[in-house]
Amino acid sequence: MGYTLCVIGCGTMGVSIISGVIASLESSTSHLRSPNGNYLKKWESHTPGTSTPTIATISQNGESPLSDFAPVADPSIPTRFLACVSRQSTAQTLRNTFGTLGPLGASVEVFTNANVEAASQANVILLCCKPQTAQVILNEDGMREALNGKLVISILAGVTLSQMKDWVTPETRLVRAMPNTPCKIREGMTVVTPAMPVPSHLQGKIDSEQEQSIILNIFSSIGRCRFLEEKHFDTCTALSGSGPAFACVFLEALADGAVMMGLPRAEALELAAQTMQGAARMALQLGTHPAQIKDAVTTPGGCTIAGLLTLEDGRVRSTIARAIQVATERASVLGQPAKKPQ
């Protein structure tokens, strides 16, 4: 049997995460068939660089013919989904949304104003509410007991682990994650804090490797996932969280320049977007340094070097880098208590 995943504050990002996990489980089929002729489901490794295990298979008779395989339950994969919202209208919208995702999507249970009830039935809780409401939710009557000893994954911008430790019991396993908007199309980038050391009195009861597998399975289904120390999270918020907005400014500018030179808007945007995507994939999939990609298309006396020098004249490189710096500084105060006026 797998585990029960509960999403508290199931807004845009919560829907994206559940949808990505369900899509990985339902849309991905193995080439192996079960004895009854149906395709076996497997967990999809969505993007190169992620580490997502597949559902194990064994032969029914102990031998190895591919036609004789059956799935083995993986405790690091969710089999039940709970989504919590505060409004009945939102709940109905979620039911309609998840209902389009196939049988597993239709089975998602939506709770309205019942965070404690849902959390008490779950093994893993994903905290996706607004940062300013986190303390109120975690201090609801019975919530500390409902979360006791469970894995709680927070995607709240600016809310630190040290803050949340004061809102839960010492036995609650806290992890902080930071996904970004492209998770909606399963091309996201998520950073996660390393698993905390298991307290001595819980050693033997908690499997840290399984917890890591659970985290990877969730976030690898919506893109790439990387573990980083919490001290880097403000920078990650600026880079991968705000980064899509910065990239879209550059994308729009590329298209505007082409429109200025006579290219129709739709074609200009398509060419610009595919060009940026292609360059990014070369850096990710081939491990090519951006400078190498740049130099490969920069011929002596050509149009590329002329354009690059214009970008340097406009201080584009330093302006973008400064944008990350300023956004990081702003991220560091998100979720923190407001200072009282002097």
Side-chain angles (χ1 to χ4, degrees):
M1 289 293 292
Y3 67 89
T4 297
L5 174 65
C6 172
V7 177
I8 294 179
C10 193
T12 301
M13 191 58 70
V15 170
S16 297
I17 292 172
I18 291 180
S19 299
V21 172
I22 288 175
S24 289
L25 290 170
E26 288 205 330
S27 68
S28 233
T29 56
S30 171
H31 66 282
L32 302 177
R33 283 181 181 269
S34 64
N36 62 12
N38 295 325
Y39 283 106
L40 300 179
K41 301 293 183 181
K42 74 176 182 67
W43 190 273
E44 179 184 6
S45 181
H46 175 56
T47 308
T50 57
S51 176
T52 309
T54 58
I55 293 178
T57 57
I58 59 171
S59 173
Q60 296 278 27
N61 58 13
E63 298 176 358
S64 59
L66 296 182
S67 62
D68 198 27
F69 276 69
V72 176
D74 187 338
S76 67
I77 292 177
T79 54
R80 184 185 177 201
F81 298 87
L82 314 179
C84 300
V85 293
S86 59
R87 298 177 182 174
Q88 191 59 49
S89 58
T90 305
Q92 188 56 51
T93 299
L94 288 191
R95 292 187 184 98
N96 295 338
T97 299
F98 292 135
T100 65
L101 302 178
L104 192 53
S107 72
V108 175
E109 302 167 49
V110 182
F111 290 73
T112 306
N113 290 318
N115 295 327
V116 175
E117 178 186 351
S120 64
Q121 299 179 39
N123 308 103
V124 178
I125 294 85
L126 196 58
L127 199 59
C128 299
C129 59
K130 295 179 181 179
Q132 59 268 30
T133 65
Q135 185 173 8
V136 174
I137 290 175
L138 292 179
N139 280 286
E140 290 182 19
D141 290 340
M143 183 60 81
R144 288 172 65 90
E145 292 75 19
L147 300 180
N148 186 54
K150 297 178 180 179
L151 176 62
V152 176
I153 305 171
S154 165
I155 68 166
L156 309 181
V159 180
T160 65
L161 292 176
S162 61
Q163 284 178 276
M164 288 189 290
K165 284 179 182 178
D166 294 334
W167 306 334
V168 298
T169 64
E171 289 74 23
T172 303
R173 304 283 289 158
L174 290 174
V175 171
R176 189 177 171 194
M178 183 58 62
N180 65 357
T181 302
C183 290
K184 294 180 182 179
I185 60 167
R186 301 178 65 202
E187 288 291 350
M189 181 69 240
T190 303
V191 292
V192 186
T193 55
M196 298 180 296
V198 177
S200 57
H201 67 285
L202 293 179
Q203 289 179 1
K205 298 180 180 179
I206 293 178
D207 188 338
S208 296
E209 290 187 5
Q210 182 173 309
E211 283 187 350
Q212 180 168 304
S213 294
I214 287 172
I215 294 167
L216 283 172
N217 282 346
I218 292 172
F219 294 109
S220 290
S221 71
I222 52 175
R224 287 176 175 257
C225 180
R226 179 171 291 276
F227 288 89
L228 285 173
E229 297 291 339
E230 189 180 18
K231 65 182 180 181
H232 298 301
F233 264 52
D234 292 334
T235 304
C236 293
T237 299
L239 182 56
S240 61
S242 302
F246 304 153
C248 282
V249 171
F250 194 82
L251 171 60
E252 190 176 27
L254 289 174
D256 284 346
V259 171
M260 175 65 185
M261 300 312 296
L263 203 62
R265 170 66 64 179
E267 285 76 6
L269 188 57
E270 179 185 11
L271 267 65
Q274 181 59 36
T275 298
M276 287 187 67
Q277 177 177 246
R281 287 190 179 278
M282 288 181 71
L284 285 173
Q285 296 181 2
L286 303 180
T288 307
H289 192 281
Q292 291 177 286
I293 300 173
K294 173 178 66 70
D295 289 349
V297 296
T298 306
T299 55
C303 62
T304 304
I305 189 60
L308 286 171
L309 289 178
T310 301
L311 292 177
E312 295 295 349
D313 289 342
R315 300 178 62 187
V316 171
R317 185 193 301 263
S318 62
T319 299
I320 294 173
R322 291 297 185 190
I324 299 298
Q325 178 187 8
V326 172
T328 299
E329 293 169 352
R330 177 58 183 165
S332 67
V333 301
L334 293 177
Q336 302 304 311
K339 294 182 178 180
K340 296 181 180 180
Q342 299 293 328

